[in-house]
Amino acid sequence: MKGLYDNEMKIVFASKTVNEAFARITVAAFVSQLDPTIDELSDIKTAVSEAVTNSIIHGYENEEGSVEINARIFANNVEIEISDSGKGIENVEIAMRPLYTSKPNLERSGMGFTIMQSFMDEMKVESSLGFGTRVIMRKKIRSVEEEQVS
Amino acid sequence: MDFSYSNEDRLLTVYLTEEIDQHTAEKVRRKIDDEIERFIPRKVIFDFDNISFMDSSGIGMVLGRYKLAKMLGGDFEIINVNKSIKRIFEMSGVTRIIMTREKNNIKIEEKQGIINEKIQKNFNEEEEDEGII
Ligand SMILES: Nc1ncnc2c1ncn2[C@@H]1O[C@H](COP(=O)(O)OP(=O)(O)O)[C@@H](O)[C@H]1O
Ligand SMILES: [Mg+2]
């Protein structure tokens, strides 16, 4: 925990959709030490909600399991890692296509990954069938940068 | 979540009150469907005024209700969305099929424009009615 990052946190919670709000609010509270704008915070909350929902409804298909979030801050960057030990994704490239969903019956729209990509600066998906999925996202908080300039 | 229904113009307004994610979307969709099936409205309005957060779960939730309302012969409109929610609806193509109005930080002139449009529309409708008689 020393040296690499300015700050770091980790939460683990049960794969229940009721925890989606808990997860995004907790990450937002952690990120708020960088003094983000309302829009930046809203983007982060949305991206976290997408990844956490995916772990719960796709990774564990609403079965028991746990979702882990690691968040790190270095300078004015935030890195958020969301992982599950669920069923994994067979083809990440296909899964990431806009409007692709394996669960249209749940009224899913297939826009989760597209939203994560466009609301964050960087997004990476690592997945292994039968073992789980990890989504890593990064965003630079610009309000801090602006303050330093002025 | 609250509903209001006006018998006169068969207008069902759904006032959403909770942040929209998979959890809350699942909770409310059945209730909204029940109201739509009960009234078979001429128009359903989703009012997002109290909603500051929505993730992609809201897309399916809205489209599902839109399809039901359409199937029963009604129109559908989304009002009072904030910028970030509007963006999600735009990205997913919702705004191309459902009239979506942003929250009212629009200028007075634009507002007056909308009011004028409404007055004009009512006027035209009245004329049409008279025509039928
Ligand atoms: N954590 C995960 N575990 C297993 N499958 C996943 C996971 N996240 C995403 N997927 C797969 O990728 C698809 C696309 O995800 P997404 O873009 O969020 O759309 P949606 O959630 O609406 O289906 C999902 O339908 C699912 O098949
Ligand atoms: Mg998703």
Side-chain angles (χ1 to χ4, degrees):
Chain A
M1 274 235 173
K2 245 170 63 188
L4 273 176
Y5 306 105
D6 296 334
N7 202 354
E8 194 171 9
M9 73 92 158
K10 170 166 128 182
I11 51 171
V12 183
F13 52 91
S15 68
K16 294 174 185 297
T17 55
V18 69
N19 286 331
E20 291 162 353
F22 161 75
R24 62 178 178 262
I25 289 164
T26 306
V27 173
F30 179 70
V31 173
S32 61
Q33 63 195 280
L34 290 179
D35 198 17
T37 64
I38 290 171
D39 286 347
E40 285 166 340
L41 215 48
S42 157
D43 289 353
I44 290 168
K45 277 166 79 176
T46 310
V48 168
S49 203
E50 295 297 346
V52 167
T53 302
N54 281 353
S55 289
I56 297 168
I57 65 170
H58 300 303
Y60 295 114
E61 299 188 294
N62 284 313
E63 301 285 314
E64 236 171 83
S66 55
V67 181
E68 184 174 319
I69 302 184
N70 285 274
R72 305 172 191 102
I73 283 170
F74 42 103
N76 57 334
N77 297 283
V78 58
E79 181 180 87
I80 304 160
E81 206 178 291
I82 296 166
S83 44
D84 63 66
S85 318
K87 63 181 246 185
I89 303 173
E90 199 177 328
N91 188 327
V92 172
E93 202 192 314
I94 292 176
M96 284 176 66
R97 285 183 194 152
L99 304 175
Y100 172 83
T101 180
S102 54
K103 293 225 169 4
N105 53 319
L106 281 186
E107 294 197 338
R108 296 304 316 168
S109 61
M111 289 300 290
F113 280 135
T114 310
I115 287 172
M116 289 183 244
Q117 267 172 329
S118 76
F119 283 31
M120 302 293 281
D121 296 337
E122 272 178 68
M123 194 212 43
K124 201 167 70 187
V125 182
E126 293 166 358
S127 191
S128 135
L129 211 52
F131 290 96
T133 303
R134 182 198 315 272
V135 174
I136 302 153
M137 305 183 280
R138 294 199 186 91
K139 193 175 181 74
K140 186 178 225 164
I141 303 303
R142 287 171 184 88
S143 46
V144 173
E145 194 182 56
E146 276 157 21
E147 244 168 48
Q148 284 170 345
V149 171
S150 60
Chain B
M1 187 175 51
D2 289 314
F3 298 96
S4 82
Y5 183 71
S6 132
N7 261 318
E8 211 177 316
D9 38 16
R10 293 174 47 219
L11 193 72
L12 176 69
T13 309
V14 181
Y15 301 94
L16 301 156
T17 48
E18 272 186 290
E19 301 202 326
I20 302 171
D21 55 24
Q22 181 66 23
H23 186 71
T24 58
E26 259 171 47
K27 272 197 331 195
V28 300
R29 66 183 194 191
R30 196 58 245 161
K31 287 185 198 155
I32 303 174
D33 285 352
D34 286 347
E35 297 297 306
I36 295 175
E37 279 162 3
R38 180 150 78 108
F39 293 115
I40 316 196
R42 187 184 58 77
K43 188 175 192 173
V44 177
I45 297 181
F46 265 39
D47 191 335
F48 275 75
D49 201 27
N50 283 312
I51 305 296
S52 55
F53 179 87
M54 183 192 87
D55 67 19
S56 72
S57 312
I59 300 167
M61 197 274 276
V62 164
L63 286 178
R65 274 49 297 140
Y66 163 79
K67 281 179 196 154
L68 178 63
K70 268 269 129 120
M71 199 182 74
L72 297 171
D75 274 341
F76 200 98
E77 196 174 304
I78 299 167
I79 62 169
N80 292 328
V81 293
N82 70 24
K83 255 197 285 161
S84 132
I85 295 176
K86 178 90 183 281
R87 193 164 146 214
I88 291 172
F89 282 145
E90 271 167 359
M91 284 172 64
S92 55
V94 168
T95 51
R96 267 180 275 141
I97 54 170
I98 302 174
M99 161 70 89
T100 309
R101 295 185 198 275
E102 232 176 288
K103 234 190 180 84
N104 244 347
N105 22 38
I106 53 169
K107 292 187 209 80
I108 309 273
E109 300 94 289
E110 283 179 61
K111 221 175 185 169
Q112 193 56 48
I114 292 169
I115 293 166
N116 288 344
E117 211 178 274
K118 270 193 186 151
I119 294 170
Q120 188 62 44
K121 203 172 151 250
N122 289 343
F123 182 70
N124 289 345
E125 273 168 10
E126 269 168 37
E127 274 193 331
E128 268 169 35
D129 287 346
E130 271 164 24
I132 294 164
I133 297 162

